[in-house]
Amino acid sequence: MDFKEPMYYLRPDSDPADRPRKIYIEPTSLCNLNCSICFRHGWINEGFGNMDFAVFSTLAEEIGSIESVEEIFFGGMGEPLFHPHICSMIRALPKSKKISLLTNGTLLDETLSRELISSGLNELWISMDGFCKEIYENIQLGSRFDLIIKNLEGFNRARAGTDTRLGITFVVTPENVEQLKLINEFADRFNADILNISHMIPASPVKKEDTLYEREDIPVGKMRRFEGKADTKEEYVCPFVTSGAVFIRWDGRVAPCMQLLHNCHTYLYEEKRKITAFFYGDIHNQSLMDCWCNPDYKEFRERVRIFYFPFCTICWGCEDRKENLTDCVYGEAPTCGACLWATGKMFCP
């Protein structure tokens, strides 16, 4: 990167320590729902499977030796509770780290809730894209609203007297945006500790005016309560790289962010884009820190932190924008100028 011109980037490299702080683990790529807003619908030749438990056990041991790691988050693009050894995976992790998990809630009966908590789970996030039966079931296809209510009640009984926290994550769409009026009441009912609100990554064409991105009454990000007044978010900042995050896919491959975890088609408004996944190692034959220290990965993180990319989301558009393989500034894959997470509109828990 010796040849980069200062006029092309926004800020100096802001993480001289450059150590992993949050590890996202995708224990499985399998899911028991078919949610209408999920960009799994746009996957391209993706495989399905569970993370090998023996491989995970080696990873868990290494995580305990990485002092900079603060949180391990089970999520990705599958349903973590689908993994047959999910509780054993949690138990294998060092208890000095925060352990979180995102679920659709369908498998979260009270027995499993108690086992998750006793295994060391610190925070459970549940995906709720509607707070009434009709809206919820029209989006989270294959689930039942009454089952989720029952499971949340069981989870609350299981966590009574413990420090385990509950979070609710909500993805805003034109179909459910009015449900935000009910989110505080729902959170109060189940004593939720935190909310996470995000716009969606479109898996089909959507007109710009229908994206709701510019609505000033839709705040996004983590919050204690929904206030209905959007804060100004800094754009062209990667929420993953700047937080020291790293993703480990179900098959052991190491990716820098959610967007680059799977091959897929997404949409920038009505324009179809092909996203090619990118990996910087594989924990089957390397340590996580060896992957992290991969020179290509280090260079990519630097490029993202200074945001050495064109601002594709406000450009009239060109052929480069239709894939993440090249752009008009730096030209080396992967490119991030059209990533909606970097616009401050998408937030993972």
Side-chain angles (χ1 to χ4, degrees), residues 163-294:
D163 294 327
T164 305
R165 287 159 51 92
L166 172 65
I168 295 171
T169 183
F170 182 93
V171 177
V172 183
T173 74
E175 182 181 3
N176 70 4
V177 62
E178 295 304 315
Q179 294 281 292
L180 280 171
K181 298 174 182 176
L182 305 175
I183 195 170
N184 287 336
E185 179 183 349
F186 190 89
D188 290 344
R189 176 180 176 183
F190 294 101
N191 196 28
D193 298 282
I194 191 168
L195 307 175
N196 186 79
I197 297 173
S198 175
H199 290 289
M200 72 172 176
I201 298 290
S204 59
V206 57
K207 293 181 179 179
K208 188 172 183 178
E209 58 268 24
D210 292 334
T211 59
L212 309 176
Y213 296 160
E214 309 306 323
R215 283 268 299 262
E216 294 183 358
D217 60 335
I218 304 176
V220 291
K222 292 181 180 178
M223 60 199 74
R224 175 61 187 88
R225 292 183 68 81
F226 176 77
E227 300 293 343
K229 187 177 189 306
D231 296 327
T232 301
K233 298 291 183 182
E234 187 177 6
E235 293 193 338
Y236 309 113
V237 175
C238 173
F240 302 115
V241 168
T242 57
S243 65
V246 57
F247 284 69
I248 305 173
R249 206 166 80 154
W250 69 273
D251 57 4
R253 286 189 275 187
V254 176
C257 65
M258 178 71 83
Q259 178 76 100
L260 299 177
L261 198 60
H262 293 280
N263 298 300
C264 64
H265 285 120
T266 64
Y267 284 82
L268 181 59
Y269 306 120
E270 296 179 81
E271 181 179 82
K272 190 174 186 178
R273 301 188 67 233
K274 181 181 179 181
I275 304 299
T276 298
F278 274 82
F279 306 104
Y280 295 97
D282 188 327
I283 62 169
H284 283 89
N285 47 47
Q286 298 168 276
S287 71
L288 176 59
M289 284 308 299
D290 282 344
C291 297
W292 180 267
C293 294
N294 178 324

Side-chain angles (χ1 to χ4, degrees), residues 22-23 25 70-75 80 86 90 93 97-103 120-125 165 222 349:
K22 185 171 183 177
I23 300 176
I25 296 174
E70 301 166 359
E71 181 178 2
I72 302 98
F73 192 102
F74 289 98
I86 188 63
I90 293 171
L93 290 166
K97 316 291 187 183
K98 179 181 178 182
I99 303 172
S100 307
L101 183 148
L102 171 63
T103 177
L121 184 68
N122 301 116
E123 189 169 83
L124 181 130
W125 288 90
R165 287 159 51 92
K222 292 181 180 178

Side-chain angles (χ1 to χ4, degrees), residues 82-100:
F82 229 52
H83 196 291
H85 304 301
I86 188 63
C87 291
S88 296
M89 296 171 91
I90 293 171
R91 277 195 296 272
L93 290 166
K95 298 304 178 279
S96 59
K97 316 291 187 183
K98 179 181 178 182
I99 303 172
S100 307

Side-chain angles (χ1 to χ4, degrees), residues 269-334:
Y269 306 120
E270 296 179 81
E271 181 179 82
K272 190 174 186 178
R273 301 188 67 233
K274 181 181 179 181
I275 304 299
T276 298
F278 274 82
F279 306 104
Y280 295 97
D282 188 327
I283 62 169
H284 283 89
N285 47 47
Q286 298 168 276
S287 71
L288 176 59
M289 284 308 299
D290 282 344
C291 297
W292 180 267
C293 294
N294 178 324
D296 290 338
Y297 191 7
K298 292 179 69 175
E299 189 272 346
F300 173 74
R301 292 195 301 272
E302 179 186 356
R303 195 153 40 106
V304 172
R305 285 192 294 263
I306 66 176
F307 213 81
Y308 194 58
F309 305 102
F311 300 160
C312 299
T313 58
I314 60 173
C315 178
W316 284 104
C318 66
E319 290 301 307
D320 289 348
R321 194 169 71 174
K322 294 181 179 179
E323 296 194 46
N324 65 334
L325 299 179
T326 190
D327 62 38
C328 62
V329 172
Y330 188 60
E332 184 173 327

Side-chain angles (χ1 to χ4, degrees), residues 94-118:
K95 298 304 178 279
S96 59
K97 316 291 187 183
K98 179 181 178 182
I99 303 172
S100 307
L101 183 148
L102 171 63
T103 177
N104 60 40
T106 54
L107 304 176
L108 189 72
D109 60 30
E110 189 167 344
T111 298
L112 180 55
S113 291
R114 293 187 184 279
E115 188 175 0
L116 288 167
I117 293 168
S118 66

